[in-house]
Each structure stands twice: as C-alpha cells, then as structure tokens.
Amino acid sequence: MKRRLSLMLAVLLPCIAIAQQPPLRLLVGFPAGGSNDVIARHLAQGMSDQLQRNVIVENKPGAGGQLAAVALRSAAADGNTLFLSNSHALAMIPLTVRQPGYDPQRDFVPVGLVAISNDVLAVNPKLLGDVRNLKGLIDWANAHPGKGSVGVPAPASDPYFGVQILARDFGGDVTPIPYRGDGPVVQDVVAGQIPAGIGSIGAMMQYEREGRVRVIAVSGPRRLPSIPHVPTYVEQGLAGYGVSGFVAVLAPAGLPTDLVRRYNRAVTRVVESPAFAAKVSELGVLPPPVRPMRLARASRRRRRPSPRWWSARDTRARDPARHSRPSHRSSPWQAPRPRGIATMTVLIAGGGIAGLSLALTCQQIGVSFKVFETVRRIRPLGVGINLQPSAVRELMDLGLGHLLDDIGVRTRDYGMYTKHGLHIWTEPRGLQAGYRWPQYSVHRGRLHMMLYEELLRRAGPDCVECGWAATGFADEGGKAVLHLRNAEGADRIERGDILVGADGIHSAIRRQIAPDEGEPVWGGAVLWRGTSRAIPYKTGASMVMIGHSGLRFVAYPISAPDPRTGLATINWIANLNYEPGQPWNKEDWNREARLEDFLPRFTDMRFDWLDVPALIAAADTVYEYPMVDRDPLGHWTVGRTSLMGDAAHAAYPVGSNGAGSAIIDARELGRAFLEHGLTPEALSAYEARMRPATAQVILTNRVAGPDSILDLVEERCGGRFDRIEDVVPQEELARHSVQYKAIAGYSVQATNERPPTIEPGVRIR
Ligand SMILES: Cc1cc2nc3c(=O)[nH]c(=O)nc-3n(C[C@H](O)[C@H](O)[C@H](O)COP(=O)(O)OP(=O)(O)OC[C@H]3O[C@@H](n4cnc5c(N)ncnc54)[C@H](O)[C@@H]3O)c2cc1C
C-alpha cells in the first residue's frame, strides 16, 4: 500500500508542479507551420519535460520576427517568456531598420543556441528548363528581361542581400521579392508563380524529390552532408554569400542568472537529444548547443557585417567604406532606389485598402513612397467585402495570393431569391465561372491588416505615418506639397513628386479639387451590417441576395466552417429604403446600430435553407450605414495630385467591387508610373484609363446594379411565382448579368485575356 502511494506521488507530483506554475511562453516570429515554428514546437515539448512545466508556443508573426522581438522586450523578466529568434530578428533587423523597437544587446539575454540553419536556392524546372546552377539562372534571367524574380523569406534578410550580390557580381537581371516567411516562397516556386526562390532545406528538398523544383545552391561555408549534391554559392563564385543563419532562445534582459542557467541546461539537453536531432534534421538544420556567453559573442559578431555586405544593401555604392555603418536617415527598404537616379517619392494620403495597395505597388516597382493616415492606429474594422477575380489577380501579382485563403473564402456562386425565398437565378463565381482567378469574400478588417502587415514587413515600419490627416495640397516648384494636421492641431507639410488622395469617401484632397461638391449623396437606403456565426447554407461558399431594394438581405460566408462546431462566419447586410428627403445619420462605417430599428421587417424571411432573423439576432455587433455615393467628377487630377479608391469614385456598395476597384486603381497608377515616371503625365494617363469606367459603375449601381433583377421580379409578381420563366425569361436574366459584369470591368473573357497590368519583376528605371 505504502509502495503504491509513493508510486502515485511520483507520478502526480510533477503534474502538480506543472499545474501550479503559469505556462512558459515561447514566442515565435513566424506563422504556424514554417521551419521556425516546427523547431519551436519540438523544443517546447522537450523543455516541458526538462523543466516540468508547460511550455507553450505563441506565434507572433510579422515583419520577419520583429513583432515577436518587440513583444519580448515588453515582457517582464520573470522567467515566463522566452523568444525563439532567428539571426534575422537578432542581427539583421537591428542593422537595417531605423527604429526596430529593440536593441538585442541591451534588451535581451541569450539563453542558448538551438540550431544552425542554411537555406537553398531552387528554380522551377518547368519555367527554367535545364538551369542547374547560378550561372544558368543568370543567363536565363538576362535572356528574359524583367522576369528574374527570386522569392526571399523577408526583406533585408540574408537571402535578400544574397540575390542583390548575385545581381551585382554576376551582372544578372535578378530581383529579390520579399515574402512573409519561406513557406509561401516555396509554394510560389512550386506553382510557377515565380521562377526561383530561397527557402528552407526541408521544404525545398521535399519538392525536389518530387521533381517540382530543382535546388541549385546552398548557403553556408561548405556543402551539407544531407544534400551533398548541392554546391554552395561560394563554390559557384559568389564569394559574398558564405553565411549560415542561426536559431536561438532569448530572454528579456534582467532575467536572474540562475534562471538563465536553468533554461540553458534545458535547451542544451533538448537540442543534444537524438530525438530532437531526428525531428529537425528533416528541416536541414544542424543542432550545435553552446553556452549563453558563446551565443552572446556570436550575436555580437553578426552585428558587424563585412563592408561587402553593406555595399550589397545599396547597389549605388561602389565605395564600401561609405557603408561600414548603416545610414539611418531613412529606411533603405522603403523602396529600393533605381540605379543612378535621384529618389522620387509618391505621397499617399490615406492608408485604407486603396492607399496600402498603392504603397505595395510602389514598393514592388521600386518607387519610394510614404503613407499618411489620419487614425492613430490601424485596426481591423468593417465587416465583409468581396474581391472580384480581376482584383484578386492584382493581389496575386503583388505576391499576396498565398495569404488570401487565410483571410477569406473562395466564393463559388451568387444566387438571387425573392423575399419568400423562391429561387430566381444563380450563377457561378470565380474559378467556377471560368475565371483564371478566384473571387474572395473576406473580412474588410482582415484584408486591411494583411495589406498593412505585409507592407510593413516589405518596406519597414516607417513607411506609414499614423495620426496625420491630409488637409489640402499645392503644387510648388515642380513638387507636390501635402498639408497635414495631427489630433493636437499641429500642422506640417510634406513634399513629393506625386500626391495621391486615397482618403476615402470624405476625402480632403477631393474637397480641394471639387470645392462645391458638398456631402455624399444619399438615395434613401440604409444598410445594417453584421457578422454572425452560423451553419453555412447552399454550397458553403454561396453569396445570396434576397428580397428587393426596399427590403433586401444579402449574405455570404467569410470564413470556412470550424471543423469542431460546423459554424462559419457569415457576413450579412439588411437594407431598407426611406424617403431621401428625411434627415439621416451621417455615414460612418463604425456606427453601431440597434436591432429593433430593422429586425422586425425581416422576421418573415425564414426559409428551410436560411433563417434570416436568427442570423441577424446572432450578430455580436451591428453597424448602420446610410447607402451613399458621390456624383462622378469631371476630373481627378490637378498638376501632380490625383485621386483613387472611394476618394475618386465612391459608388453604392451593391456590385461587390468597391475594394476591388481601389486595388485596380493602385495597379493602374503603378503602370502609369512605369510608363511615364512620377510625372503629371502619369496621372493623366491613369485618369484616362480609370475615370470613365468608374463613372459608369457609379451611375449603373444607382439604377441597375447586379441585383436590379430582384426589383423586376418584385414588380412583376410580388415575389411569388410557380415558374420563374413565366416572370423573367432566363435569357433576360443571363443578359443582365453579363451586361453588369462588362460595365464593372469584370467580364470573364476580358479578365482572362487582359495582359498583366504590371509585368512581374518590372521596376522603374
Ligand atoms: C473603417 C472602415 C470600415 C469599412 N467597412 C466596410 C464594410 O464593412 N463594407 C464595405 O463594403 N466597405 C467598407 N468600407 C469601405 C471600403 O473599405 C471602401 O469602399 C473600399 O475598400 C475603397 O477603399 P479606400 O481605401 O478608397 O477607402 P477606405 O477603405 O475608406 O480608406 C480610406 C482611408 O483614408 C483614411 N482617411 C480619411 N480621411 C483622411 C485624411 N484626411 N487624411 C489621411 N487619411 C484619411 C481613413 O481613415 C481610411 O483609412 C469601410 C471603410 C472604412 C474606413
């Protein structure tokens, strides 16, 4: 009995110890599933056993690990938080970002080195044929000008500089394209979205075995035993890229030495264990544990890169001595400068969907830019919106395609129903309709944050300045001048070559261009918008419009169903009409509403496939928005200033194209900059392409948006029929749908056959 008791205690005591302590957080700067995350999860499991304490991995992806490093700096030195950093966050970000938000020497204490990591350069054999080495890649890139994009896991990372050295030393027309971690790079190389990319060994080798990529170079000073057939960059003549990265555990400065030692012992035991080595060897990393002080020395060494490294940062530099220390006057990653010409800047007023899409486009084509946003902090606001394939295509060309499935749902079809739930018309959407790109239904806030985080990651944290509202503009001495004011009433001006007003429906820039215009036009409709968790209906990715314009309900899912509950997030919009003459609340996307103002009108909409009142009642928050638009303007451009997005062409949100046309504006502006430079001619060319078409959409959405069929059916039969063909012939339904798509610029054929707005890899000269 005594023996049984002591056995039980032996089993239970560690559990009690684990339960008593708070979990130890191990921060990781990348999304789940990447190589850092996988290492962290194996390490956390081993450390839990060693420390007899729960160790949980907390992913804080963003800006190449910078956000996680900043989180560690803010954490208390109480032994409850550690950070699994890679060399990029520990050594490169502090060297290349003006205000990284942490100083590794001052703010962190090293706990233990976990792994030495190398990466590999792989090409897509379908695109590049027989290319088998760096020279072959360079020859191919030079024979295909503007197409030599090489995906890299982060801006200003070792691979980013490696590609720059490749371009400079081999005279190759190759450009590093920064991604959000190596997972998406690998996916895009495999899918043939880009010809080449640099990623982790584990991920790339898996696809090499399947013949879908060919690995042509490995980083580090010597070949790796696990991939002996792959030559190093150095062997192939690229003397400046002989580095390996490392992965290490850090703690906040001030952690008591006995805890540092304890954690170091735990880390060392885990990484020395054959089990850990077996698990991480698939990733191609080598585990060399060292004691804390040796790690500190290693990270100090990495803070002093060779002059050669610095010269790779800026291809203008021929004198390495000038770059022995980083210049901090401005973030060099804001937009790589074109060779041999002075920096030209696009000022962007407004950091919404339009402004951030333009900023990402500028970054992609090598145009320097700065965004000024009135709110103090960008937050994920709004509810659902739709992105038509024509806009999705542009996001994919911006290298964002791999992020869209994380934030939304690929819409499959679009159906119209009477207020009694009778079926009028369904048409396929996105890939199902024959487009080469999907349509997405997404949460506006998640799309906005995705653009924002990706922009900061690619261009550095200084490229968006929040808390400054545009108040007006001028043209002075061949420059665009932007007037700004902050919440405290302080004024300042910024000068650039071009100014774009992307400041939404209440644009201050537009107000100066059209001073007599007044407030947006309200036609009498009010929208109540919300999201609810519910069982998806129809195909699970169906957008439905029910009723008619005086009593309309729209719904579409914006998330996949939770596998545990079966519930998805369904976006919905309830729409009632009032006398346009009566006063209504000024439009504000964030105004919260009361259910009793509109729910009673929708209580009859209970169908066997959708219970509308239940869906409305399940929403956490409901927003109210008077449906407004603005009359088309006669011109958008004054000298060096123009408009885009809602500032240029706010239309009724009935055609699923508000955000999409803002994205297309951004790409057309980018195209115009490439064709005409940062000149007034570029703005005129952009306006000539976009203004007439968007004006037509504004006018069409007022009277004959895609849902005007609902009104026709309501008018003809009050929403009741035996056969829809007796009310509206199928040909009429089909014709209407095709016509609207043609007006809105997203017909299947036009979208599929149009060449890219901006050819991949093209940069301003
Ligand atoms: C908070 C919010 C929520 C929204 N929710 C929805 C929704 O649920 N459904 C829907 O269909 N559409 C919604 N929209 C509108 C939708 O985003 C736009 O119609 C479309 O995406 C076009 O984008 P845009 O960038 O032109 O405008 P917006 O996305 O409106 O962005 C304009 C940006 O400019 C900023 N800004 C405004 N004035 C100034 C100034 N003077 N100086 C500097 N910056 C300024 C704003 O803060 C905003 O970030 C919302 C817009 C906002 C701002």
Side-chain angles (χ1 to χ4, degrees):
M1 176 70 189
K2 229 169 142 188
R3 190 154 168 267
R4 267 181 54 201
L5 191 66
S6 55
L7 261 174
M8 270 172 68
L9 281 177
V11 172
L12 282 177
L13 276 176
C15 303
I16 293 166
I18 288 179
Q20 272 170 353
Q21 293 189 60
L24 171 56
R25 296 189 307 152
L26 182 60
L27 307 179
V28 177
F30 293 90
S35 50
N36 269 277
D37 175 73
V38 174
I39 295 173
R41 282 171 203 279
H42 292 318
L43 182 67
Q45 171 144 31
M47 286 181 74
S48 288
D49 297 341
Q50 292 292 330
L51 298 168
Q52 289 300 304
R53 178 179 180 187
N54 277 336
V55 181
I56 53 165
V57 172
E58 200 172 302
N59 298 88
K60 284 203 174 295
Q66 187 180 352
L67 300 188
V70 170
L72 183 73
R73 181 179 176 267
S74 315
D78 56 4
N80 291 332
T81 311
L82 298 174
F83 171 33
L84 185 75
S85 174
N86 60 6
S87 37
H88 182 64
L90 191 55
M92 292 308 272
I93 289 176
L95 285 167
T96 54
V97 173
R98 182 150 50 126
Q99 286 171 336
Y102 59 93
D103 176 342
Q105 304 289 329
R106 187 194 59 207
D107 299 326
F108 305 149
V109 48
V111 169
L113 191 60
V114 173
I116 296 295
S117 65
N118 290 293
D119 42 49
V120 286
L121 172 59
V123 297
N124 180 306
K126 275 202 189 131
L127 296 179
L128 272 72
D130 202 31
V131 165
R132 292 184 180 275
N133 51 34
L134 294 181
K135 182 168 177 315
L137 172 62
I138 295 301
D139 289 346
W140 181 90
N142 289 347
H144 298 81
K147 294 212 172 355
S149 302
V150 183
V152 296
S157 54
D158 286 349
Y160 184 100
F161 293 132
V163 178
Q164 286 200 332
I165 297 177
L166 194 59
R168 190 195 56 197
D169 288 9
F170 281 28
D173 191 4
V174 286
T175 311
I177 306 292
Y179 277 66
R180 192 190 174 116
D182 64 346
V185 176
V186 177
Q187 278 164 25
D188 271 10
V189 178
V190 171
Q193 298 283 349
I194 43 169
I198 298 182
S200 71
I201 293 175
M204 286 294 194
M205 294 318 292
Q206 172 198 335
Y207 289 109
E208 188 179 63
R209 281 191 286 275
E210 294 169 12
R212 297 166 78 185
V213 302
R214 185 178 302 125
V215 173
I216 62 169
V218 60
S219 64
R222 62 192 67 85
R223 289 193 189 204
L224 296 180
S226 56
I227 45 169
H229 66 291
V230 182
T232 64
Y233 291 90
V234 181
E235 268 179 80
Q236 298 186 61
L238 199 70
Y241 196 49
V243 292
S244 297
F246 59 80
V247 183
V249 176
L250 309 173
L255 187 71
T257 315
D258 58 330
L259 265 182
V260 175
R261 288 215 182 94
R262 201 158 158 239
Y263 289 158
N264 172 255
R265 273 197 302 275
V267 169
T268 306
R269 279 192 194 127
V270 176
V271 297
E272 277 178 343
S273 71
F276 182 80
K279 281 173 187 159
V280 299
S281 65
E282 285 167 19
L283 302 170
V285 300
L286 310 170
V290 294
R291 298 181 51 222
M293 292 322 291
R294 286 197 43 206
L295 172 61
R297 280 202 296 276
S299 69
R300 265 201 297 277
R301 268 204 309 278
R302 279 296 298 241
R303 280 177 66 87
R304 288 196 295 272
S306 71
R308 183 177 174 78
W309 209 237
W310 283 113
S311 68
R313 259 187 2 135
D314 185 336
T315 45
R316 290 168 314 149
R318 291 285 162 227
D319 174 9
R322 278 176 50 205
H323 290 276
S324 56
R325 245 179 299 134
S327 154
H328 281 166
R329 276 183 320 191
S330 70
S331 163
W333 316 115
Q334 194 147 313
R337 283 178 200 163
R339 296 172 201 198
I341 64 167
T343 307
M344 310 237 278
T345 305
V346 175
L347 306 176
I348 304 169
I353 307 297
L356 298 186
S357 303
L358 177 58
L360 281 159
T361 301
C362 286
Q363 200 274 341
Q364 185 186 46
I365 62 172
V367 168
S368 152
F369 65 90
K370 182 102 184 186
V371 181
F372 300 92
E373 164 58 50
T374 186
V375 300
R376 280 178 192 268
R377 193 161 64 86
I378 298 211
R379 290 183 300 133
L381 300 175
V383 288
I385 55 175
N386 269 272
L387 295 173
Q388 296 298 334
S390 49
V392 169
R393 172 188 189 169
E394 300 298 344
L395 293 178
M396 287 185 170
D397 286 353
L398 271 170
L400 302 169
H402 59 284
L403 300 172
L404 292 174
D405 285 317
D406 292 346
I407 62 165
V409 165
R410 294 174 179 222
T411 318
R412 295 177 65 89
D413 50 49
Y414 168 95
M416 285 188 261
Y417 299 81
T418 72
K419 62 183 183 237
H420 304 298
L422 298 181
H423 177 244
I424 300 172
W425 168 256
T426 294
E427 63 186 35
R429 283 294 172 109
L431 297 176
Q432 278 67 25
Y435 289 99
R436 287 168 55 204
W437 301 269
Q439 173 177 336
Y440 278 96
S441 297
V442 300
H443 191 288
R444 181 210 176 258
R446 295 191 71 191
L447 171 69
H448 194 197
M449 294 313 288
M450 182 268 271
L451 297 174
Y452 181 54
E453 282 166 12
E454 199 55 25
L455 178 66
L456 295 201
R457 197 181 67 71
R458 293 180 184 189
D462 300 335
C463 66
V464 179
E465 217 174 310
C466 288
W468 286 95
T471 54
F473 67 93
D475 252 26
E476 279 171 21
K479 289 277 172 190
V481 179
L482 171 61
H483 293 258
L484 294 157
R485 178 166 299 162
N486 69 10
E488 287 73 43
D491 289 321
R492 66 185 255 222
I493 59 166
E494 284 287 331
R495 282 170 207 281
D497 297 277
I498 290 292
L499 164 62
V500 181
D503 45 346
I505 193 161
H506 296 294
S507 166
I509 304 297
R510 176 171 174 132
R511 203 174 311 127
Q512 188 173 333
I513 292 175
D516 301 327
E517 186 180 38
E519 290 300 306
V521 185
W522 182 51
V526 176
L527 308 177
W528 285 270
R529 304 166 303 128
T531 56
S532 309
R533 300 286 294 164
I535 300 281
Y537 50 86
K538 302 283 176 193
T539 63
S542 298
M543 178 168 186
V544 292
M545 298 229 167
I546 306 162
H548 53 89
S549 62
L551 178 73
R552 198 174 56 129
F553 190 80
V554 182
Y556 49 88
I558 53 173
S559 84
D562 182 326
R564 286 167 304 136
T565 61
L567 301 179
T569 305
I570 311 284
N571 181 79
W572 55 260
I573 303 156
N575 167 197
L576 297 175
N577 275 1
Y578 296 85
E579 258 310 301
Q582 71 184 73
W584 196 262
N585 286 329
K586 187 176 157 61
E587 52 290 335
D588 171 355
W589 285 109
N590 299 319
R591 174 175 296 109
E592 292 193 17
R594 299 174 315 165
L595 286 186
E596 55 270 34
D597 286 346
F598 68 101
L599 180 55
R601 298 284 304 279
F602 291 87
T603 44
D604 290 341
M605 287 190 180
R606 288 180 197 274
F607 317 124
D608 54 2
W609 51 277
L610 184 68
D611 185 335
V612 169
L615 191 67
I616 294 175
D620 286 341
T621 313
V622 180
Y623 301 96
E624 166 199 295
Y625 190 82
M627 194 157 91
V628 290
D629 66 2
R630 285 194 179 273
D631 289 332
L633 278 189
H635 65 284
W636 295 347
T637 304
V638 174
R640 293 182 165 271
T641 298
S642 195
L643 300 169
M644 71 182 299
D646 280 2
H649 46 72
Y652 284 170
V654 294
S656 305
N657 49 14
S661 54
I663 292 165
I664 291 168
D665 285 351
R667 305 295 288 166
E668 287 291 350
L669 273 163
R671 185 217 299 232
F673 295 153
L674 286 168
E675 286 171 354
H676 304 278
L678 300 194
T679 59
E681 291 72 44
L683 297 182
S684 303
Y686 149 75
E687 178 178 331
R689 277 193 198 118
M690 295 309 297
R691 193 170 54 77
T694 51
Q696 218 184 336
V697 171
I698 295 174
L699 301 177
T700 308
N701 281 5
R702 283 182 184 173
V703 290
D707 55 338
S708 59
I709 285 293
L710 293 174
D711 294 346
L712 193 74
V713 174
E714 174 67 18
E715 225 173 80
R716 291 186 184 171
C717 67
R720 285 206 191 278
F721 50 75
D722 291 328
R723 282 170 15 104
I724 182 61
E725 293 79 4
D726 299 338
V727 184
V728 193
Q730 286 294 300
E731 308 80 68
E732 194 178 338
L733 294 169
R735 200 172 48 246
H736 179 81
S737 159
V738 169
Q739 266 166 5
Y740 184 79
K741 287 193 190 116
I743 291 168
Y746 57 81
S747 78
V748 178
Q749 195 183 3
T751 305
N752 284 351
E753 289 178 1
R754 182 171 58 76
T757 315
I758 296 175
E759 290 285 346
V762 175
R763 299 171 70 74
I764 202 158
R765 303 242 165 231

